[in-house]
Amino acid sequence: MLGRSVSPVFVGRREEMTALTDALTEAGAGTATAVLLGGEAGVGKTRLVQCFAEQAARDGVRVLTGGCVELSTEGLAYAPFTAVLRQLVREHGTGGVAGLLPDGAERDLARLLPEFGEPSGDGETEAGRARLFEQILTLLERLADTAPTVLIIEDIHWADRSSRDLIAFLSRNLRVPQALLLMTYRSDDLHRQHPLRPVLAELSRVNGVLRLDLPRLSREEVAQQMAGILGHAPEYAKVEKVYERSEGIPLFVEALLEQGGDCTSFPESMQDLILNAVERLPEETQRVLRMAAAGGTRVGHALLSAVSGLADLELEAALRPAIAGNVLQIADNRAYVFRHSLIREAVHEELLPGEHQRLHARYAEEISKDHTLVPAGRAYVELAHHWYGARDDVHALTAAWWAAKKSFKAFAYAEAVPLLERVLMLWDRVPDAAERIGADHTAVLEKAAAAAQAGGEVDRAMKFVKAALAELDEAREPGRVAGLIVRRSHLKVSKGQVSVVDDLRHALKLVPEPGEARAEVLVPMSQHLMLRGEAAEGAVYVEEGLRLARELGDRCLEADLLLNLALGHSLAGDIEGTVVTNQRALDLGKQENSGRVITRAIGNMIDSLLETGRWEEALRLSEEGWREAKRFGRLRASGLFVLNNRAEALEAIGRWDEAIETVERALSFGPSLRTRHHLMRVRADIALGRGEVELVEGILSEIGVLKERPEDFVQDMTNSARLHMGWHLLRGEPAYALAVAERMLARPAQSSKATLGWRLLALLRTVCDAAEDAEPERVRALRERAAGMAARLSMTGPVAEAYRLTYSGDFDASAAAWERLNRPHNQARALVRAATVAARTGDRDGAAARLATALPKATALRAAPLVAEIEALSRRVGGAQRPQESSELLTPRELEVLRLVALGRTNRDIAKELFISAKTVSVHVSNILAKLGVTTRGEASAAAHRLSLLSR
């Protein structure tokens, strides 16, 4: 390649960019003088400074740039200031620059640039040096008088002593408005004796000097950077690998992607950056570092001492230069950690083959003798790694098996899968493998499938299940085969495949006798039948399963079946019964400490609470569910189910930006196809509300809605049809929407779930109203079929009732119901429908009043189609719009953010307090600044007090 792959998208850094922008604003008032921007090599300091400089230049700010050069231990004297002077001479000429200084003062600048003539004779004296400092200060002050000026000095860790002194002088004395110094340095280069350390310590105490540390990128930000470079969303596994290896350093992300493939190799162009600090160390230190590298990124002092054979004092003496050079860092519990995993990898690759095996064998031997040499619970994992590195197949296989079992107990499923794969890989090399671990080859495959499924790795799990089924005979081991068929059915559903009920019926025939095997088949069988709309048969299997589970005393099975029973209650319209039964299942899951049951119950409970209008409880529970999914190692499985339900709740209550972020966050984890489709439906609902036609079309194409891909579950069919109709209405195609509605109601299975059914009927009314003039007969027939469906639906729950009111045409009552439920988009739409009815009856003032209430809600949501409809109808009725109150400028969430901004909180502080991400906070802050017509957080706080926004 000719150059490194750089993301065209500036990723993350919103908070740091805001801090720099605020510092520039404060410099305009003379209250800020300098910013010290620190960060390790490759973390993106230069990219951030470039973006800030470009933005500042667009705003009319003069940007001067200089950099320090690594030529020797003391660098090149005044190098950054010489570069700045050259820039000024190019732009203004020597006369223009000299004209900004007192007469004759340009001779002092001649020391740095010969264009200014003959240097003054006392240039090397203290007096001459002091005069030079004053002239540079004067030059910056005069420049700032004519335009806002930013002086950027990069890499001050390489600055010579004279430059450091001048930097300190300017930071203390540059007090005029419109002038700002911005300096960058490598924090990882600042060893204890580094000459910049005391300068930074001194400047940090100077008023007006801001010290800013640039952190590594988060996993989500690395995914965004990768997407920008690749031009498409990267696979979850690739993101994980790149993030793990780069540890969030953007330069390393770019380098790994430059290599392509599986991102396991690292370009030679980066080796110097990584090994530079190591190669400067004494040879004995490098030798011990190679030993430490074989131990992993983190190695305990006692373990390293045992492996190396060095006494405590000898080991400390050998490692001290590595710690001073910031190659190694001291961690808790007397452990050493490589500053970056790539440093460890590079050092580890320096080992010779024989040395590699001997060192790993030494680690394995010492850990085998004393498990306390490694962190608690890690002994078997470490032994599996080191015996494998030592090429001892027998010990490597048995250690990997026991390590996998330990990982299961710790809910570390992602760690268990590669360990079990290692067992399978070594199986043929160890003749008595089954006797050594007490399990046959099929049992290892079954365990690997369970771990992969729990960790959300659907394709990997399916591979293990198929391999296990191929090894079994259903005539000899029917229960075992039935269990694998059950697992395969779950995986098929996750992959978006249909007709799994036939597989489950076969599994049920394999286990006709009452017992645990049959009960385990009854759980998915009853659930799938209910989701298909075959509730009566599903209920029969639930009752049989509950009886068996209670006879067996299996409380987790009982909880699973209770969740299916709650699903039956929901379909029957018994909302309170649904909540109570879900809670019983959740309690059982907590008593048994079953992560699978707990997270499934929480996901179901969120949906039930939302149907009862208890959205605040639903959101709190979603936070608990995400924490529990993380605790039980199920983030990519049931954790994403919880996030999907959280996104649905946020969409319902009008917190659309947060819902979008939640969807994007869930998608970044590489969900199963079915979960991805659920998430994309939430995103499509918001896109419909905002009029994003192309986005909606892309989503509907992806999930198969436009081709009406077969669906197994009634809920999926209903939601897909609803989105399909909404898309046609958005495009102004009511006849096509009518056709979708006709096909939907012609299906034999319709949802008996009250909220789902009434929501569909409310939309059907909109479709019929829009198509009635063009297709009166078809509309009449559809209304009759809709009425038949309505007659079969129950009317329990406030959300279902609000949709029923919309369907019945009582739009004012519907708007009031939506207001009580805190659903602003639904409320605004109902108000518009009510205004339309009022206008038709001649009540123009009533119509205008309703529209005046609806408009700020639609505007706050950025619901462009609804805003356009309100404005069009307002022009037709001729009613005056109410003036917008100050409190209506901001949404409730924006007011919460503004209140914390006024208290001086950072974006990260606000994110932590409001349980949202810093990215979402940044979006809210940007919206607040725009709505209030201000540019800084301080001005926003002042405006909030002036308009009394925070007293409401």
Side-chain angles (χ1 to χ4, degrees):
M1 296 181 67
L2 295 178
R4 183 163 314 287
S5 302
V6 179
S7 173
V9 180
F10 183 50
V11 175
R13 312 311 192 200
R14 287 178 178 269
E15 188 165 342
E16 290 77 19
M17 194 70 169
T18 299
L20 293 177
T21 303
D22 287 349
L24 181 57
T25 302
E26 292 168 10
T31 57
T33 59
V35 177
L36 296 165
L37 177 64
E40 56 195 307
V43 82
K45 300 182 296 297
T46 298
R47 182 77 183 270
L48 173 62
V49 168
Q50 286 174 347
C51 289
F52 168 69
E54 289 168 4
Q55 178 180 301
R58 286 194 298 270
D59 294 338
V61 176
R62 178 190 289 113
V63 179
L64 306 174
T65 305
C68 302
V69 183
E70 186 186 24
L71 292 181
S72 64
T73 55
E74 266 302 302
L76 187 64
Y78 297 116
F81 298 97
T82 301
V84 168
L85 286 175
R86 282 202 185 96
Q87 178 184 342
L88 287 170
V89 167
R90 283 196 306 271
E91 294 173 358
H92 304 285
T94 53
V97 175
L100 295 171
L101 298 171
D103 290 341
E106 67 273 12
R107 292 183 60 197
D108 292 313
L109 301 184
R111 291 182 56 196
L112 308 185
L113 208 62
E115 284 90 332
F116 288 103
E118 188 69 26
S120 54
D122 60 348
E124 300 303 322
T125 66
E126 280 300 314
R129 186 166 176 267
R131 202 167 54 248
L132 173 64
F133 285 17
E134 287 291 346
Q135 305 305 358
I136 297 290
L137 175 62
T138 300
L139 179 60
L140 290 174
E141 289 175 342
R142 298 284 173 81
L143 288 168
D145 285 341
T146 61
T149 299
V150 174
L151 171 57
I152 297 172
I153 305 176
E154 293 201 73
D155 299 321
I156 63 172
H157 53 280
W158 287 331
D160 64 290
R161 179 176 178 178
S162 297
S163 294
R164 289 195 302 270
D165 290 345
L166 180 48
I167 286 168
F169 174 82
L170 293 174
S171 300
R172 287 192 300 267
N173 294 283
L174 188 61
R175 293 295 174 183
V176 297
Q178 300 198 121
L180 181 71
L181 294 176
L182 171 55
M183 297 160 283
T184 71
Y185 63 93
R186 284 187 186 176
S187 54
D188 51 324
D189 272 12
L190 302 188
H191 52 77
R192 291 177 182 175
Q193 284 76 44
H194 198 288
L196 185 62
R197 288 178 72 100
V199 177
L200 293 177
E202 177 190 352
L203 294 183
S204 297
R205 295 189 292 269
V206 175
N207 289 335
V209 175
L210 169 67
R211 190 162 177 177
L212 194 61
D213 294 315
L214 195 60
R216 297 177 180 182
L217 296 180
S218 66
R219 179 195 168 283
E220 290 78 11
E221 289 167 340
V222 166
Q224 292 171 30
Q225 183 188 5
M226 292 174 66
I229 294 171
L230 298 172
H232 58 81
E235 296 177 357
Y236 172 80
K238 192 166 189 175
V239 173
E240 288 296 289
K241 184 169 290 184
V242 170
Y243 179 62
E244 180 183 354
R245 300 199 68 221
S246 68
E247 295 185 3
I249 294 182
L251 183 65
F252 292 168
V253 173
E254 294 168 359
L256 289 166
L257 290 181
E258 183 182 326
Q259 292 299 96
D262 58 2
C263 301
T264 56
S265 59
F266 202 70
E268 292 183 6
S269 59
M270 289 287 99
Q271 292 293 340
D272 289 343
L273 177 63
I274 293 171
L275 286 175
N276 186 39
V278 176
E279 291 171 348
R280 291 197 299 258
L281 298 173
E283 181 55 41
E284 174 63 9
T285 300
Q286 292 188 46
R287 186 181 74 84
V288 178
L289 279 179
R290 288 193 292 272
M291 295 182 188
T297 302
R298 175 192 177 105
V299 60
H301 177 90
L303 177 58
L304 185 56
S305 176
V307 170
S308 66
L310 296 174
D312 285 349
L313 292 178
E314 294 172 323
L315 181 59
E316 289 167 1
L319 292 179
R320 194 175 299 280
I323 295 168
N326 206 20
V327 173
L328 276 188
Q329 296 172 343
I330 299 175
D332 297 335
N333 300 320
R334 298 191 72 204
Y336 304 108
V337 181
F338 281 87
R339 178 173 55 80
H340 197 283
S341 62
L342 289 174
I343 297 176
R344 189 204 70 80
E345 286 184 31
V347 173
H348 190 252
E349 287 175 3
E350 298 289 307
L351 293 172
L352 299 173
E355 187 182 16
H356 178 279
Q357 286 186 229
R358 286 193 301 275
L359 274 175
H360 281 289
R362 287 286 300 123
Y363 273 103
E365 290 162 0
E366 294 299 333
I367 295 169
S368 296
K369 289 188 289 186
D370 185 358
H371 285 192
T372 64
L373 289 173
V374 295
R378 296 291 302 173
Y380 284 105
V381 174
E382 296 291 337
L383 285 170
H385 168 69
H386 290 301
W387 283 128
Y388 184 71
R391 303 295 185 265
D392 187 322
D393 294 339
V394 173
H395 284 100
L397 181 142
T398 54
W401 173 254
W402 289 109
K405 294 187 75 171
K406 289 281 187 181
S407 296
F408 258 81
K409 289 182 180 179
F411 311 114
Y413 302 111
E415 186 177 66
V417 173
L419 288 166
L420 292 165
E421 286 179 325
R422 182 168 293 171
V423 173
L424 293 168
M425 181 186 68
L426 295 171
W427 193 270
D428 292 337
R429 302 184 198 173
V430 181
D432 57 346
E435 290 74 18
R436 286 182 176 275
I437 67 172
D440 62 17
H441 190 263
T442 307
V444 180
L445 287 168
E446 289 170 321
K447 202 165 188 68
Q453 184 181 6
E457 298 185 65
V458 175
D459 291 333
R460 219 167 176 182
M462 184 67 88
K463 178 187 70 174
F464 294 133
V465 168
K466 288 179 177 178
L469 282 170
E471 293 182 2
L472 295 176
D473 181 348
E474 66 179 39
R476 287 202 300 268
E477 298 182 273
R480 205 170 178 185
V481 171
L484 283 166
I485 291 174
V486 166
R487 192 174 299 284
R488 187 180 65 185
S489 73
H490 286 302
L491 296 170
K492 280 185 172 182
V493 170
S494 295
K495 289 170 70 68
Q497 298 176 12
V498 297
S499 303
V500 298
V501 167
D502 293 338
D503 290 348
L504 293 171
R505 291 193 191 281
H506 177 62
L508 211 53
K509 288 178 183 177
L510 291 175
V511 285
E513 299 300 321
E516 183 178 355
R518 182 172 177 84
E520 288 179 347
V521 180
L522 288 170
V523 173
M525 187 70 184
S526 57
Q527 180 187 22
H528 283 72
L529 286 169
M530 287 183 173
L531 290 172
R532 282 164 56 101
E534 301 168 35
E537 186 182 2
V540 171
Y541 285 130
V542 168
E543 291 303 323
E544 180 188 353
L546 279 171
R547 185 173 62 253
L548 285 175
R550 286 163 180 162
E551 288 173 359
L552 293 165
D554 192 325
R555 291 157 70 85
C556 288
L557 265 178
E558 181 183 354
D560 271 322
L561 288 154
L562 283 173
L563 290 170
N564 292 352
L565 182 63
L567 177 59
H569 291 326
S570 175
L571 295 174
D574 182 3
I575 300 300
E576 288 305 320
T578 303
V579 172
V580 170
T581 307
N582 277 334
Q583 187 62 54
R584 285 170 58 195
L586 179 56
D587 291 342
L588 283 175
K590 289 182 175 179
Q591 290 167 21
E592 296 300 306
N593 200 37
S594 169
R596 178 181 53 76
V597 171
I598 290 171
T599 50
R600 184 189 169 200
I602 287 176
N604 287 3
M605 183 70 87
I606 294 167
D607 185 60
S608 301
L609 290 172
L610 197 58
E611 289 191 15
T612 63
R614 294 151 64 180
W615 60 269
E616 290 170 306
E617 290 178 58
L619 289 180
R620 283 196 295 271
L621 191 61
S622 70
E623 292 160 8
E624 178 188 343
W626 181 249
R627 289 194 298 270
E628 292 292 79
K630 188 174 183 179
R631 179 166 75 94
F632 286 107
R634 294 178 172 271
L635 282 184
R636 293 188 64 209
S638 43
L640 300 187
F641 170 54
V642 169
L643 276 191
N644 175 75
N645 285 2
R646 177 178 176 82
E648 289 180 351
L650 291 167
E651 184 275 328
I653 63 171
R655 285 159 58 174
W656 287 358
D657 289 331
E658 290 177 65
I660 292 170
E661 186 200 346
T662 302
V663 168
E664 291 175 348
R665 181 184 182 193
L667 290 174
S668 73
F669 281 91
S672 67
L673 187 63
R674 183 160 188 262
T675 301
R676 179 179 176 83
H677 286 181
H678 284 319
L679 291 160
M680 297 308 288
R681 287 189 185 98
V682 178
R683 184 64 185 90
D685 269 318
I686 298 171
L688 279 174
R690 287 183 168 165
E692 299 165 326
V693 180
E694 292 182 2
L695 176 57
V696 177
E697 182 174 358
I699 293 172
L700 298 190
S701 295
E702 177 186 335
I703 65 181
V705 170
L706 298 184
K707 293 184 178 180
E708 298 191 356
R709 183 178 64 88
E711 303 269 14
D712 232 6
F713 300 146
V714 174
Q715 179 172 327
D716 297 341
M717 295 178 198
T718 305
N719 284 329
S720 292
R722 180 178 55 75
L723 291 169
H724 200 173
M725 286 183 275
W727 178 66
H728 281 306
L729 290 176
L730 182 62
R731 286 162 54 97
E733 301 168 342
Y736 289 122
L738 183 64
V740 175
E742 289 169 335
R743 292 194 295 273
M744 179 65 199
L745 289 194
R747 289 174 176 169
Q750 298 295 335
S751 177
S752 59
K753 189 174 181 181
T755 301
L756 200 65
W758 286 115
R759 184 177 188 180
L760 176 65
L761 287 173
L763 180 60
L764 288 180
R765 180 187 178 103
T766 303
V767 171
C768 288
D769 290 347
E772 191 156 30
D773 290 343
E775 300 284 352
E777 291 303 316
R778 290 172 62 194
V779 165
R780 182 187 58 77
L782 186 64
R783 287 192 195 276
E784 289 177 0
R785 273 184 279 174
M789 178 179 171
R792 295 188 297 271
L793 283 173
S794 62
M795 292 181 288
T796 57
V799 176
E801 174 64 11
Y803 279 121
R804 188 195 68 79
L805 289 168
T806 301
Y807 167 71
S808 68
D810 193 347
F811 300 120
D812 281 319
S814 173
W818 291 126
E819 183 177 20
R820 290 192 296 272
L821 290 165
N822 188 39
R823 299 200 176 190
H825 191 242
N826 296 58
Q827 181 191 355
R829 289 170 62 186
L831 286 168
V832 173
R833 299 293 296 278
T836 303
V837 173
R840 286 174 181 166
T841 60
D843 183 8
R844 298 163 69 86
D845 290 342
R850 291 174 175 86
L851 295 173
T853 303
L855 181 59
K857 298 182 183 303
T859 302
L861 291 167
R862 303 199 298 283
L866 190 55
V867 170
E869 186 179 354
I870 293 168
E871 291 175 344
L873 186 55
S874 296
R875 288 191 294 271
R876 287 166 57 196
V877 301
Q881 293 288 307
R882 287 187 307 144
Q884 192 176 30
E885 296 291 335
S886 296
S887 59
E888 293 175 346
L889 284 171
L890 306 178
T891 66
R893 180 58 108 184
E894 287 167 349
L895 285 171
E896 291 176 6
V897 172
L898 178 57
R899 183 172 287 106
L900 295 171
V901 167
L903 292 174
R905 306 284 174 80
T906 67
N907 285 3
R908 287 197 175 96
D909 293 336
I910 297 170
K912 186 176 181 181
E913 185 154 341
L914 298 183
F915 301 103
I916 56 179
S917 76
K919 177 182 175 183
T920 297
V921 174
S922 180
V923 171
H924 283 314
V925 171
S926 297
N927 290 340
I928 291 167
L929 297 181
K931 290 181 180 182
L932 296 180
V934 297
T935 58
T936 69
R937 297 162 81 96
E939 291 175 357
S941 300
H945 292 295
R946 186 177 68 255
L947 297 173
S948 301
L949 294 178
L950 303 183
S951 61
R952 295 176 186 271

